[in-house]
Amino acid sequence: MVTVRGQAHTLEAFVAALLVLSGISFALGTTAVTPLSASTSNQHVGNQERAAAVGVLEATEADGSLAEAVVYWNTTPDDDSGEFYGANNSDGTGYATGPPNEFGRVLNETFGDRRAAFNVAVVSFDRNGSRTTTTMVRMGVPSDDAVTATRQVVLYDDTTLSSPELGNVSAAATDSDRRFYASDIDPGNRLFNVVEVRITVWRI
């Protein structure tokens, strides 16, 4: 009788130990999922920001405001350089927010309510393949989870700079003194340059 009772107690202790171990295992499993869940959430947010940046580029390309923004450039005969109109591009900072044109308005409206910061750069190449990156907007240093969207814009010799101070000056007319950030990659033909607009977005 004593032996049977002892076996019963042993069995009960074994079952209790199994329940405790199962509980610990479940708790550890739940904890292990947490970092993965956070990573998945961050990836989802990044995908949303990238989709928003792509949407900005597609919409402004369709209505012509993206092409206008890349030539919203100001250069004067008494200056040996240029900058985006109204920006402080001489020290590489560009605008502190979206530029004062339709492209800038769409940028500000898209990301202003999302607690997101953005930088915009325009990348161009010369005939020798040398790359130039010109800052249009600089709001800060992107975080590690920043995302980027790009779009190409074709410029022609007769593309008119859109600065309100320049009148009908074409991009090609500034090429000899290099006051425009891009140069003519195909002299003698209508193509002037193909530039790439890069929007980098991150949460703040």
Side-chain angles (χ1 to χ4, degrees):
M1 190 68 175
V2 175
T3 303
V4 172
R5 185 177 299 169
Q7 289 176 343
H9 285 310
T10 302
L11 182 60
E12 288 176 0
F14 180 72
V15 171
L18 280 178
L19 289 174
V20 171
L21 288 174
S22 297
I24 293 173
S25 176
F26 177 78
L28 289 175
T30 302
T31 303
V33 170
T34 302
L36 179 59
S37 300
S39 176
T40 302
S41 176
N42 289 339
Q43 183 177 4
H44 179 65
V45 170
N47 289 340
Q48 287 182 322
E49 301 303 346
R50 182 181 288 105
V54 169
V56 167
L57 292 171
E58 289 179 344
T60 55
E61 179 187 44
D63 67 13
S65 56
L66 179 63
E68 179 182 299
V70 299
V71 291
Y72 200 65
W73 191 258
N74 191 40
T75 180
T76 56
D78 58 351
D79 190 4
D80 60 358
S81 63
E83 61 184 20
F84 284 105
Y85 179 73
N88 185 23
N89 211 61
S90 59
D91 63 358
T93 57
Y95 300 104
T97 185
N101 49 39
E102 181 63 16
F103 177 59
R105 184 191 68 78
V106 176
L107 281 169
N108 292 336
E109 287 189 355
T110 301
F111 299 111
D113 295 334
R114 302 169 71 95
R115 297 188 62 190
F118 57 88
N119 292 340
V120 181
V122 185
V123 179
S124 60
F125 292 86
D126 64 16
R127 291 190 294 272
N128 299 318
S130 296
R131 170 176 171 159
T132 298
T133 300
T134 306
T135 300
M136 181 186 292
V137 178
R138 181 170 174 79
M139 296 183 69
V141 178
S143 63
D144 292 339
D145 57 354
V147 296
T148 300
T150 64
R151 207 73 168 184
Q152 289 187 330
V153 178
V154 179
L155 304 179
Y156 299 98
D157 288 341
D158 57 355
T159 298
T160 302
L161 301 184
S162 57
S163 163
E165 293 186 0
L166 289 184
N168 293 319
V169 176
S170 68
T174 70
D175 189 48
S176 60
D177 47 25
R178 296 304 305 274
R179 291 197 302 268
F180 186 52
Y181 63 84
S183 61
D184 194 346
I185 60 172
D186 193 13
N189 291 296
R190 185 167 176 255
L191 177 66
F192 181 77
N193 206 305
V194 180
V195 301
E196 180 181 81
V197 181
R198 302 176 61 88
I199 302 178
T200 301
V201 187
W202 68 99
R203 284 295 177 99
I204 54 176

